[in-house]
Amino acid sequence: MARSSYFINWLLSTWIALLFSLSLSAPLESNEKSVVVKRNDAIYDIWNSIPNTQKAQGDSALEFNIDQTQDNAWGVTYLYGCTALMISDPNFVIVAHMQQETGTGTICINDQAALQKYLTNTLQPALDLHDPTANTQVDLIYNSNDCKWTGTGVQSIKSYLMDDVNFGAAENIIFPRPYTGSSGTGTPNPNSPRGLAVVQWQKPQLVGLTVGTLQVYFNNDTPLRDQVFMTM
């Protein structure tokens, strides 16, 4: 049933995307108004426009309900070595950031005590406010210089999210997002998407037909997730 629903949603999304393309290419009469607005901002521009209150940094986990009638975006502070999570759903968003090193220089994701403290004390309060749905996606971002997908640290986070007591995410909705980073102070490059993580919601472009569009970006101007949700 889940595979069938996914296929139907994909088919409808493709159809809507085609309608958008045709609407954008069709000429308008002098008294005609377009109902479709094409929004293809660079990831840096989107990320840079996000207020700090909607951007996870330090050791933090922020949760938000999505107002589907309004455009909005959430993100993670510039990543040059730290661990992050983006949990996206058409109804809610969780963005989380865990620092790369402790004050003593220990790599946090490889320190089970520090990692468990973060998961229990920082991430869990955000997870408690939401339940995963058929439309939830988890993007687990980690520095491949510190830990591999099969490494203890990343697998500990994955197992924690899958535990029904904590969140109950299905294994197939958790996606690895490795990147190469290093310790030290870094600043984002306005001409590059590297190190930038964003969840963006776009309000309905065809009122009455679509609920809105959910996009997830990391390290690239091409979205990891670009999904149109239909009205039922």
Side-chain angles (χ1 to χ4, degrees):
M1 184 66 181
R3 288 173 62 90
S4 176
S5 298
Y6 176 84
F7 176 75
I8 292 171
N9 194 34
W10 174 85
L11 187 62
L12 289 172
S13 298
T14 302
W15 178 68
I16 289 299
L18 179 60
L19 283 181
F20 289 171
S21 177
L22 292 174
S23 299
L24 287 168
S25 60
L28 296 176
E29 300 295 335
S30 58
N31 62 346
E32 189 177 8
K33 293 183 179 179
S34 173
V35 295
V36 178
V37 179
K38 189 176 183 181
R39 289 165 286 183
N40 281 331
D41 295 330
I43 183 63
Y44 176 84
D45 294 333
I46 302 171
W47 179 87
N48 197 46
S49 70
I50 299 172
N52 287 336
T53 53
Q54 293 178 198
K55 195 177 290 182
Q57 48 196 316
D59 283 334
S60 65
L62 310 177
E63 62 80 28
F64 304 90
N65 291 315
I66 292 181
D67 180 350
Q68 296 176 341
T69 66
Q70 301 293 325
D71 291 341
N72 212 336
W74 307 264
V76 180
T77 190
Y78 177 63
L79 290 163
Y80 54 88
C82 297
T83 306
L85 277 171
M86 293 188 294
I87 303 177
S88 58
D89 185 277
N91 292 304
F92 70 91
V93 172
I94 296 174
V95 285
H97 179 272
M98 184 175 70
Q99 296 185 107
Q100 183 185 18
E101 296 183 5
T102 66
T104 59
T106 303
I107 301 298
C108 294
I109 197 169
N110 293 329
D111 182 336
Q112 283 298 296
L115 178 57
Q116 190 61 43
K117 180 179 178 182
Y118 171 83
L119 294 172
T120 303
N121 298 341
T122 303
L123 181 62
Q124 190 60 52
L127 298 178
D128 284 341
L129 298 175
H130 303 283
D131 294 318
T133 72
N135 293 316
T136 303
Q137 177 171 307
V138 179
D139 293 284
L140 174 47
I141 301 169
Y142 61 96
N143 178 3
S144 58
N145 285 342
D146 292 338
C147 189
K148 307 304 179 185
W149 177 246
T150 55
T152 302
V154 171
Q155 288 300 307
S156 292
I157 297 174
K158 180 182 173 183
S159 297
Y160 189 90
L161 292 169
M162 291 174 59
D163 192 320
D164 288 338
V165 174
N166 303 324
F167 190 54
E171 184 173 13
N172 63 355
I173 71 168
I174 303 176
F175 295 90
R177 306 301 183 189
Y179 75 107
T180 302
S182 60
S183 300
T185 301
T187 55
N189 181 344
N191 299 312
S192 171
R194 287 186 60 81
L196 306 181
V198 168
V199 178
Q200 179 176 231
W201 175 262
Q202 294 182 345
K203 64 187 178 184
Q205 294 181 312
L206 294 176
V207 177
L209 184 59
T210 64
V211 176
T213 304
L214 186 61
Q215 296 176 313
V216 177
Y217 297 86
F218 176 61
N219 242 21
N220 201 299
D221 284 321
T222 300
L224 302 171
R225 181 181 195 180
D226 190 358
Q227 189 170 359
V228 178
F229 293 91
M230 314 298 298
T231 56
M232 300 302 292

